[in-house]
Every structure is written in C-alpha cells, then in structure tokens.
Amino acid sequence: MPSPFRRVSLAQFSSILERVAVNRRIESIHLHHTRHPNHVQFARDASLDAMWKTHTEQNDWPDIAQHLTIDPEGYIWLGRNWDTPPASACGHNGDASAGPLMIEMIGDFDEGADVLEGAQRNTVLGVVARLQQLFDLAPESLIFHSTMAGISCPGNSINYQQMLAELAPHRARLDFADETQKASPFRDDASTATQLVQEALLDLSRKGGDQRIDPDASACAHHPGAAPRMQRVAAGSSVATRAAALTPDQMQALRPHLVNLSMGDFSRSGKWTTTRADVDAIFAEHLAQALLAAKMKGQPLRLMFQAHGGLNDEATGLAIAQKSVAWWKENDIYPIYFAWETGLLETIGQMMRRAVTTGRRDFADWITDPAIEEAARLAQVPAMWSNMKLSAQLASSASAGREGGARYVARMLAEFCKANAGQVELHAVGHSAGSIFHSWFIPAALELGAPAFRSLHLMAPAMRVDLFKEKLAGLLGEGSGVDALTVYTMQEQLEAADNCAGVYRKSLLYLIYHALEQERKTPILGLEECLRGDPALSALFGLDQGPSKGEIIWSQTRSTRGRSASMATSHGAFDDDASTMGSIARRILNRADHESIVEYSAARAPAAATADQEAEVLQPQALQLRAQQKPNAPIQLKDKTQANRRALCVGINDYPTAPLAGCVADVALWEDVLRTAGFEVSSLLDAHATRAAIVGALKRMVVSSQPGDVLVFQYSGHGTQVPDLNGDEAGGDSPGLDEAICPVDFATGALLIDDDIGKIFRLLPDGVNLTCFMDCCHSGTISRFALGADKAARPLGPGARMRYVPATPQLAEAHREFRQTMAPEPPGEGGVAKLREVVFSACLSTEVAWESAGQGEFTVCATGVFGMGTEGLTNAQFADKVSAAFGAAPRQHAKLYGAKEAQARLLLEPIGTAPTVAAKGEIMAEAEAEPAPDLASLTRVLQNLLQLLQQSPLLGADASRAAQTHWSEQPTHPAPQSMQRDENKNR
C-alpha cells in the first residue's frame, strides 16, 4: 500500500511549494479528468485508494499515474513523486530528467455531466498558476490531454481559451504577496497544518519501487477499466475513510473492539496489529468496565462479535469497524470486530477483467456470464476462494501446538462468561464470507465453554449449504447453542440484477454457485433458489409454512424500519444498510417495531451505477431525445406500470455554523413514503450533501430520464436569500435577491441558487413528471425566478427552530467570489406559467419554514397525507390536504407552485395518466363545492371529466378527442364580474 494520500488546501499547497525540491525539469502541466469517479461517486480516500490499486495492481505501474488530484471540494491530493514521469499521454510522458507534471481533476466534465466550477475550478486555476510561477512556465504550458490524443479529456465542456483567460488574474496576484486562501470550515489548526506540510514533503520524496514508466502509458485509457472497482467502493460500502487516514485517536478508540487476523493468526503486519496481550486487555479491562456500566443500568452486557465479508482488505475492514462502533455502543451493545484481511473481491475482479478483456476495454460488454465463469475457473479463482475459506477455519482451530487467533478469543470469552455467569449475552453478526468465519468461531466458543449465543445474524451468507448443516443447523433452538437465527438476503431477481467486479452480471453468490466452488452449482445458503429447493432448509426456515428454527428477511422489504426490514439491493450493501442494521439492533435488544433505538445513519450516497448504466447516464439523453423528436410530433409516453420512478432526497443537520436537528429524520420519512410508492430512492445526507454532489446527482437524474418517467427531488435543510448577480430578480417580493438552498459547504459561497436549479430543470425531457418537495425557507421560488408573495407573512413565534440562514456580508461576498469562478448566467424567463416542474414548498416566499420535535413541520404534514392515501389525487388536491393538515392557525403556509396544467395533473403519476374511476367522485364533489366557479376552474373540471369519458363507451373516441381539443385550445380569460365571488362574503 502507498503512503497516505495527503489532502491539503490551496494555502497548505502554497507552503509546500515554498520548500519542495524537484530535480526533474518540469516543462509543462498536463490536465486530465477522471471520468470515473465522477462527482457523485467520489469517496475521498477510498477513491484515491481505488485509483492507486488500479494503476499499480492492474496496470503494473510503479505508482499512481498522476502527481496531483483535485477533488470536487477544492482540495488537493498529493500522489506521485514529482521527480518521476507520469502516466499521462502516449509519447508525452518525458523521462526522469525532464517532462510534464500531471494533474487529475475528479469528475466527468463532458457536456451534460459534471460542471467544473466553484471551489474545484478555483483550486485548479490556483494550482496551475502557482506551478507555472515555481517552474517559470508560460500560461500556454497548460496542456489539455485532448490536444495530445483524440479524446475529450479533460472534458469537452471546458474551454481552453476561457481557462487561460481566467488563469491570468491568478498569475497576476502571485506577482505580489501570495494571498492566503480563506480558511474553510474544515481547516486544520496551525500546528496540525504545519505537521501536515512536513509529512507531505516527505511523501513527495518517497520512492514507489522501480520508477521507470512506459513512455506510452496513459491513465485515461485505463480509467474505464477501473470504473467497476471505484463503483464498488461507492455502492457496496459508503465508508469514506481508509485505515491509513484514521487519526491516532480513532485508532486508539478502535483498540478495545478489534481483533485483526491474517491467515488465521494474529496479524503482525499492516496498519493494525493484534497480539494476545491486546486480546487479554479487551477482556480484563475494557469488557470489565463495560460490564460494570451495564450493571449500573440494570442490563446485561450485550456482547456482539461481527465478521466482515471476505471481500474486504484490511483498510476497508478497519473503516467498517470505525464507522459503526459508536452506533453499537449508543444502543448498549458492545461490538468486537474480526478483521481478517482477505481482500478477495479486488483480486478476483482484477483477474477476471484480465482474463476476459484481452486488452479491449469493451470486450466484457459482449461476453456471456458462462464465459466469465469459465474464465474465472481457468484463472484459478476457485483455489483463491478455497484459501480464503481455509483462513476462516484456521482462525478457530487448534492443532499441533498451534492455536488460531479467533480460537484464543473464544477461550478468553468462555473464561470471562464463566466468571460473570448470567451477566453476559452473546450475539454474532456475519456478512457474506463472514458467515463462513462464524460457522467455525461459534462452535469453537461453545466447545470451550461459552454460553449459548442469544442471536446469530447472517447477511447475504456466502457459505455452502452443507457447511451450514454440518456446523450450525444442529445448534439452532433455545438451549442448543444459538437461540435465534436471522438470515438477510436478496430475492432472486435482485441477485440476478446485481454485478460482481463490474464484469459478471449477477451477484457474487451466483459466481460462487457457478464457478468458485470445486463443483459447479454447489448450493449456497444466501441464494433463494437454494433455500427453497432444499426441503430440509425450507422446513428449517418455515418456508413450507410450518414451525421454524430460523427466519429469513428477503430484501427489499415493504417497511424500511423495524425488526424485519432490509432495503439492500446489492450483495455488498447489507452491512451499511440502515434498515438491515436497525433490524439487527432491534433483535439483539429484543425491541418491538414501535420501540425506539438509535437508528443507524448510513453515510448514504446515490448508488453507483453499473458500467452499463454509467455509459447510458453519461450521455446527455434529454438533449438527444429532443433532437430526435420531429417538430410537433406526439411524445410516446409509458403507461403507469412501465414508468421509471426515481427520487433524490437531501437532508442536512450537520451544518458547521448553523446545525439543524430534523432534516435527516425528514429524509427517512420521505424514503419510506417514496419507496412505498415504487420509487428508487437515492439520498445525500450531511457531509455528503455538498453543492457539487447535489448538482451532479440532480443533473444525472434529470438528463437520464425519458418521456413517461416520474421524478422527485426532496430537500430538507437551510434556505437563504443572496444578492442577485445577473439581474433576473428585478420584480417580485424580494427584488435584487436570489433564493438559495444551503448545501453543507455553503459557507464557502457554494450555494445552490434558483438559477442553478432552473438551469438543470430546463434539461428535463418533454413528458417527464418532476415534483419537488422543499422543506426550507424561501422554498416557493427555489426552482425559478421570483414569483411574488401570496399574502403577508404571519409574525413569527418563539420556541422553534427556523430553517433559514441570514445572508451575512461575509456569506454574500463568498457567494460573489464563488459565482465569479462560473460562466455568467443570462437572465431567465420567470413566472409560474414557465414552470415545467411542480414545486410543493414548505412556506410562502415571505415566510419561514420551521422544524420541531425533531422533524420539519411541512414534512410531517405532507408525509401524513401520503399515509392516508393519495391515489387519484391531483397536485392541487394534494396541496389542499397538506394545507389543511397544518390546522386552523398555521405559522407557515404550504404552497403549490406550477403551471395550471401541472396543478391538474395526478400526483406522482406519468404525464397523461387519466384519473381512476375511484377519483370520479372526488372530481364531481369538487365541481359541486364551487357554487360560482371561474372559467379556469370550470375548464379544469371539464377536462378531467372528458378524460374519464374518453375511457367510456358512452362517448365515441372521435367525439371525445374533438371535445378535448376544443377545450385545450380555449384561451383563459378572467371570469366575468358576475361570476367572481365576494371573498369576504364567502369567508
């Protein structure tokens, strides 16, 4: 493994440049983009690790390809020794005496994908200017990869001449005293920063083995091949920290909870070592203190042993442990992790890709799964799988004077429980190959005298059925060794929709079933077809409707919370799925669904797409569809059952300067509602909800949609108003101000203003239904320009928390500086009539959105209406019900913003879906409730009736269409004076 990839700010980078010694002559600066990972997929240390492993293990280069990497948040990651040539472009890499310095920008900057802007663009320009000053280079020494090869890198959305023009003021400032970059919310203190600079200088002098590089090596040619690895890091585990990046305090906090093993023995190498003395300390000191604390609470000591899957190397195993230790302890569960350093999936993935690609990056797109299975067998992957299983067995075995590390833990556990009889509860959790580990550890512990395990939880178990029957099945049942067994696994269709290593188009369990065991089609415990096809297993788990000794939770479940919930959709996702982890905790604590626990807060990011899905999403489909449509041609819409339903939910509590309390809980409510409605939901929470991440995820959802799709964007967090910089906010109730939502990094000026969201929504293909639920202040106009206030704001009352950040002069200036790094936006066309989307806002644009009792008040009311049933409701009817839910004297007034035809559209249904027959009564009731409707309301009612009649044999199809055309073409006029109602009289 490399030394840690140092992440430094631009100011710290300037300090490094003052002291760095470079013997190689730098002649130019090469600029690239990664494409993969893009902004949404970026996972900090994990992404750098993935890139390094791809370059060194798959491409056989001596080090990572690039000298510097600049991330979406504007930070710089040091990489390769600057005295060594990069793997930049064929024939342009130079040599050890002279050549280029290579910069990679995290993102996909081709048209329709990520945008190089804000902090990232500012850092890129600042780094290039400083390097050119240091090495006495001209502005034109900046070279795009596209000029050296026939590809779009660093992205065809970046204009070279414009970048040179923007570079000029940066260079001019450096001619005077260097302006230190303003401190970010995450800046280290002075002493830490000084140490960081010293460590970075040491990193830059490290030697990565043989420093020779192929002069024809090119990083970009290999990034697509690396994409599956990076996607797995983002999707299978949302851990964003690697072991090398753990602080000393974090490492120390892990020590009482971690046992690190290698080939069955205590690990004496790597980033973490474990000795027998460490295990002795866990039982004699840490568990003794935990037992005392449990006694004071009148509880037993609940001791949980977790074994991660055999898909993780040491770094990932440590990161998984570090991430969830505090959560287990908050739930009064003491965790002990077995990290056993297998790293199998990475190795399998590399070998499989080498076996099937034969140097062609797209060959795997055409090869069949059976051919990949055969390639895996020829590559001796089954032998590796057998070796990993042997590692699990050796850990809990003893022979010829040798005692495995896990067996030593089992022996100490038995002694501890005997000394504290009746005061300790034992539980075990295993993910994937972790089930194999526990099939040896639990029998060993029982053999040595440990009491029965109260519960065993196996997530996507990768163990053979015959091993399960031999080692665990006989122990099931109260008093037999394992009181309760729960298996969490995917149903067959999800297993088939998963992928392994980005090459094999089924889950890892299917690869084991077909290829990794010595005999093909060896039954595996986690596969539905194996469970249902074995009469003994079917009876054991009650699949035959009889009594059972174990329970299976099939993902995905209808409920997202409770004892029987799991929402994982990939093999690697279970141990970071909030629903699954919450279910396990409830079962260990013996809590019912309605009883509270500290819910698991996964560091969720939108699930990374497979290689096939990425290739589709990265195309600007919305623009392609419009280009292909003939003028005035009818849009081909999907029916209700065919519609793709996707949602993006954003919730931010952990603002550095203005924390909130209910936004993440809001997202949990919306996830439940939307998944119940059939939506595929992606979420960005807290630190992951940066401006770049929100923009990237929202844009991808919009541009990859097709006519007939239904989309939702939900946001809970702060809102604000900042000075309008392009002159499009001259009217309305807030002249000269832009409405904005506040990403977690908003303090740097990275606000998401109405212009930004409107620009993305203008990419929406015709025929796509997009609905926004905005639980923040100033949410009414957040997707377009000022629309004007509806009524005077009600005076604010004390005692509640506002979702509003005032635009201080510092924030306004940071906003101005941030926008200067972006291309200027022309003024847009405002007004409700221009809206293509539907926006449900928490409050009027002159009001404040509130949260209380740990939830947003708008979210509680809106999701409550969903809970009462919304089938057949139009957007306008739903808005009325939400308003009514606020009660008679609301302090905020929820509001629907949308064009008239959108307000009459069915809520969250494909455009063009007719009201159901069940809704006919409501439509008639609406007509009867209006004694003197205006012409627009009457038109809307008649249009709804005509849609019903179109489906009825009472009216001919031709006549129906003619009538519909007639009404749709009628201009909307103000109601005659005689039809207008007297507002005060009706009130």
Side-chain angles (χ1 to χ4, degrees):
M1 291 294 292
S3 298
F5 290 108
R6 302 292 173 187
R7 182 176 187 253
V8 299
S9 68
L10 185 56
Q12 291 163 347
F13 183 73
S14 298
S15 299
I16 292 170
L17 291 184
E18 293 174 1
R19 301 167 57 185
V20 71
V22 182
N23 299 315
R24 180 169 163 267
R25 187 173 73 254
I26 303 300
E27 299 175 327
S28 59
I29 299 168
H30 290 182
L31 193 62
H32 298 245
H33 70 163
T34 56
R35 190 183 302 274
H36 300 285
N38 55 36
H39 279 180
V40 173
Q41 296 166 330
F42 180 60
R44 297 192 179 183
D45 304 78
S47 291
L48 269 293
D49 271 350
M51 213 178 308
W52 179 85
K53 286 185 175 181
T54 299
H55 293 175
T56 58
E57 297 176 8
Q58 178 174 317
N59 301 342
D60 294 323
W61 297 339
D63 206 339
I64 195 168
Q66 64 267 27
H67 295 106
L68 298 171
T69 305
I70 299 177
D71 70 22
E73 298 171 349
Y75 283 87
I76 305 151
W77 298 76
L78 306 181
R80 188 183 188 86
N81 184 320
W82 292 7
D83 276 334
T84 62
S88 178
C90 299
H92 297 272
N93 291 326
D95 54 30
S97 61
L101 191 143
M102 176 184 171
I103 298 174
E104 282 272 18
M105 302 181 296
I106 297 290
D108 176 7
F109 301 114
D110 281 342
E111 289 287 351
D114 296 330
V115 178
L116 181 61
E117 61 184 7
Q120 187 176 26
R121 191 180 189 100
N122 184 67
T123 297
V124 170
L125 294 169
V127 166
V128 171
R130 284 160 173 77
L131 290 173
Q132 289 180 340
Q133 182 193 56
L134 177 65
F135 298 115
D136 194 22
L137 302 174
E140 293 75 16
S141 64
L142 174 64
I143 300 175
F144 281 9
H145 188 197
S146 56
T147 65
M148 300 177 282
I151 57 177
S152 63
C153 181
N156 55 28
S157 69
I158 304 175
N159 184 281
Y160 180 74
Q161 293 301 327
Q162 180 182 350
M163 181 162 279
L164 287 186
E166 294 175 16
L167 190 58
H170 284 264
R171 290 172 59 96
R173 282 200 296 269
L174 294 176
D175 290 337
F176 302 95
D178 184 24
E179 296 179 351
T180 302
Q181 185 187 36
K182 290 185 178 180
S184 80
F186 311 106
R187 184 182 176 185
D188 303 293
D189 59 46
S191 61
T192 303
T194 300
Q195 180 182 354
L196 184 63
V197 170
Q198 293 172 342
E199 293 172 346
L201 289 165
L202 290 175
D203 287 343
L204 289 176
S205 65
R206 68 183 169 88
K207 301 294 183 182
D210 184 356
Q211 294 299 301
R212 291 174 295 177
I213 190 73
D214 185 344
D216 290 332
S218 176
C220 292
H222 295 271
H223 281 172
R229 158 65 183 164
M230 295 176 188
Q231 290 162 4
R232 195 195 75 79
V233 171
S237 172
S238 54
V239 179
T241 56
R242 67 191 186 111
L246 296 182
T247 67
D249 287 344
Q250 289 172 325
M251 297 287 274
Q252 188 61 33
L254 268 184
R255 188 165 292 280
H257 302 279
L258 192 69
V259 177
N260 202 12
L261 305 172
S262 179
M263 281 306 297
D265 292 325
F266 292 122
S267 177
R268 293 174 173 80
S269 62
K271 301 300 177 185
W272 184 280
T273 61
T274 297
T275 65
R276 292 194 174 202
D278 293 325
V279 175
D280 293 343
I282 289 176
F283 285 95
E285 300 173 18
H286 304 296
L287 284 180
Q289 294 173 6
L291 179 61
L292 180 60
K295 286 180 179 178
M296 295 178 66
K297 294 181 180 180
Q299 302 173 353
L301 171 61
R302 299 181 180 94
L303 187 54
M304 185 276 298
F305 293 87
Q306 182 165 348
H308 63 65
L311 313 180
N312 301 311
D313 57 11
E314 178 196 44
T316 308
L318 290 175
I320 291 171
Q322 192 274 331
K323 181 176 182 296
S324 53
V325 160
W327 175 74
W328 286 115
K329 294 175 73 173
E330 286 173 353
N331 279 299
D332 293 325
I333 299 168
Y334 192 100
I336 293 181
Y337 286 85
F338 289 110
W340 46 308
E341 299 183 33
T342 52
L344 182 68
L345 182 62
E346 287 83 354
T347 307
I348 289 178
Q350 292 153 16
M351 295 181 69
M352 288 171 58
R353 283 192 289 272
R354 285 177 179 171
V356 304
T357 59
T358 62
R360 291 174 51 192
R361 107 183 201 190
D362 61 346
F363 187 78
D365 294 335
W366 303 99
I367 198 166
T368 64
D369 282 348
I372 293 175
E373 293 160 7
E374 187 61 33
R377 297 184 75 85
L378 293 174
Q380 300 300 310
V381 176
M384 295 171 49
W385 178 250
S386 296
N387 192 60
M388 189 220 68
K389 293 190 296 180
L390 177 62
S391 176
Q393 180 179 353
L394 291 175
S396 296
S397 301
S399 61
R402 176 201 167 275
E403 183 178 40
R407 188 173 181 87
Y408 182 77
V409 172
R411 185 153 56 85
M412 297 300 295
L413 171 65
E415 293 177 6
F416 180 80
C417 292
K418 183 178 180 180
N420 301 282
Q423 302 177 57
V424 182
E425 282 185 11
L426 301 184
H427 304 269
V429 177
H431 179 214
S432 186
S435 63
I436 302 173
F437 187 95
H438 277 318
S439 72
W440 298 99
F441 173 71
I442 292 175
L446 296 173
E447 174 195 335
L448 292 168
F453 283 71
R454 291 290 185 91
S455 69
L456 170 61
H457 309 266
L458 302 179
M459 299 177 281
M463 67 188 306
R464 294 167 56 123
V465 167
D466 56 0
L467 180 66
F468 170 75
K469 290 179 177 179
E470 175 190 347
K471 305 296 294 184
L472 293 178
L475 301 177
L476 300 182
E478 193 164 348
S480 298
V482 177
D483 293 349
L485 167 66
T486 309
V487 171
Y488 300 81
T489 196
M490 293 189 292
Q491 292 182 307
E492 188 171 348
Q493 61 268 30
L494 285 180
E495 297 282 359
D498 199 4
N499 79 85
C500 179
V503 176
Y504 183 70
R505 289 175 175 81
K506 296 184 183 71
S507 73
L508 175 67
L509 296 186
Y510 267 118
L511 183 65
I512 297 169
Y513 175 69
H514 285 292
L516 299 195
E517 292 291 342
Q518 295 302 317
E519 297 182 7
R520 298 179 188 273
K521 295 190 176 181
T522 298
I524 301 301
L525 185 65
L527 285 175
E528 181 178 10
E529 64 179 271
C530 298
L531 286 162
R532 295 191 185 277
D534 187 310
L537 286 183
S538 184
L540 188 148
F541 287 105
L543 299 179
D544 58 358
Q545 306 306 313
S548 65
K549 292 185 177 181
E551 184 177 355
I552 297 179
I553 308 298
W554 300 106
S555 183
Q556 288 182 321
T557 56
R558 183 173 181 83
S559 173
T560 60
R561 287 188 184 178
R563 290 173 58 90
S564 301
S566 180
M567 298 302 294
T569 57
S570 68
H571 178 82
F574 280 92
D575 63 349
D576 202 40
D577 173 59
S579 300
T580 306
M581 298 297 282
S583 171
I584 293 173
R586 277 188 166 86
R587 287 170 181 263
I588 292 176
L589 296 169
N590 196 25
R591 302 268 175 90
D593 289 355
H594 67 277
E595 295 180 283
S596 65
I597 64 168
V598 178
E599 297 289 351
Y600 185 83
S601 179
R604 287 164 289 189
T610 63
D612 287 345
Q613 293 167 335
E614 255 331 307
E616 294 173 2
V617 171
L618 294 179
Q619 301 298 322
Q621 292 187 11
L623 302 179
Q624 289 180 356
L625 285 169
R626 291 185 184 179
Q628 294 168 2
Q629 291 171 2
K630 297 179 180 179
N632 302 319
I635 300 171
Q636 298 298 314
L637 298 178
K638 304 171 185 176
D639 65 28
K640 179 176 179 178
T641 60
Q642 295 174 320
N644 293 318
R645 299 171 181 269
R646 288 181 293 156
L648 172 64
C649 297
V650 179
I652 309 172
N653 287 339
D654 294 341
Y655 288 102
T657 56
L660 291 171
C663 300
V664 173
D666 283 359
V667 167
L669 277 180
W670 281 108
E671 286 177 336
D672 285 348
V673 164
L674 293 169
R675 287 193 173 112
T676 300
F679 281 79
E680 176 188 343
V681 184
S682 297
S683 300
L684 290 170
L685 301 179
D686 287 335
H688 293 269
T690 63
R691 183 187 186 279
I694 296 172
V695 167
L698 189 57
K699 182 180 292 184
R700 277 173 176 75
M701 183 174 72
V702 167
V703 302
S704 64
S705 62
Q706 300 180 28
D709 288 352
V710 183
L711 307 180
V712 166
F713 174 50
Q714 180 270 323
Y715 171 81
S716 290
H718 277 309
T720 190
Q721 292 176 317
V722 288
D724 168 38
L725 302 179
N726 69 344
D728 64 352
E729 303 286 359
D733 60 299
S734 302
L737 294 174
D738 273 319
E739 317 295 349
I741 63 176
C742 300
V744 70
D745 54 344
F746 80 92
T748 65
L751 293 161
L752 196 56
I753 64 173
D754 48 17
D755 302 32
D756 300 328
I757 300 177
K759 181 179 178 181
I760 295 173
F761 287 176
R762 286 195 293 273
L763 299 174
L764 193 71
D766 294 334
V768 176
N769 184 4
L770 171 60
T771 304
C772 302
F773 298 97
M774 310 299 295
D775 200 342
C776 61
C777 292
H778 306 299
S779 56
T781 64
I782 201 64
S783 70
R784 281 298 185 273
F785 311 110
L787 306 176
D790 293 75
K791 59 184 72 175
R794 187 176 181 272
L796 303 179
R801 187 174 302 191
M802 298 181 294
R803 292 184 173 178
Y804 172 71
V805 170
T808 62
Q810 293 81 4
L811 180 59
E813 180 59 26
H815 165 63
R816 189 182 306 277
E817 291 182 1
F818 181 89
R819 304 305 293 191
Q820 287 176 349
T821 67
M822 303 168 59
E825 284 291 328
E829 298 179 2
V832 174
K834 299 293 184 180
L835 291 178
R836 304 185 67 215
E837 65 279 2
V838 173
V839 180
F840 291 97
S841 68
C843 59
L844 304 180
S845 57
T846 54
E847 293 180 331
V848 174
W850 295 87
E851 65 173 37
S852 57
Q855 298 274 185
E857 295 184 3
F858 168 75
T859 290
V860 170
C861 292
T863 57
V865 173
F866 273 102
M868 294 184 291
T870 58
E871 185 173 0
L873 288 184
T874 65
N875 288 317
Q877 292 167 334
F878 176 77
D880 290 342
K881 288 182 178 291
V882 173
S883 295
F886 273 91
R891 56 184 170 189
Q892 67 190 69
H893 295 79
K895 178 71 175 177
L896 165 63
Y897 292 91
K900 286 188 176 181
E901 61 270 19
Q903 295 188 33
R905 187 184 303 153
L906 287 181
L907 176 73
L908 301 187
E909 295 296 348
I911 292 176
T913 304
T916 62
V917 176
K920 182 177 178 180
E922 291 194 28
I923 295 173
M924 294 301 296
E926 177 185 314
E928 294 170 359
E930 297 286 348
D934 59 28
L935 187 58
S937 298
L938 182 62
T939 298
R940 178 162 59 87
V941 172
L942 287 173
Q943 285 176 325
N944 287 335
L945 288 173
L946 284 168
Q947 285 180 320
L948 284 175
L949 289 172
Q950 276 186 300
Q951 304 174 11
S952 171
L954 298 177
L955 184 64
D958 293 339
S960 172
R961 282 193 294 270
Q964 180 68 40
T965 302
H966 170 78
W967 279 103
S968 64
E969 291 177 351
Q970 295 302 309
T972 301
H973 302 288
Q977 187 67 34
S978 60
M979 294 181 66
Q980 293 181 358
R981 290 178 291 169
D982 181 88
E983 185 75 12
N984 294 325
K985 181 179 179 181
N986 284 326
R987 187 173 300 148

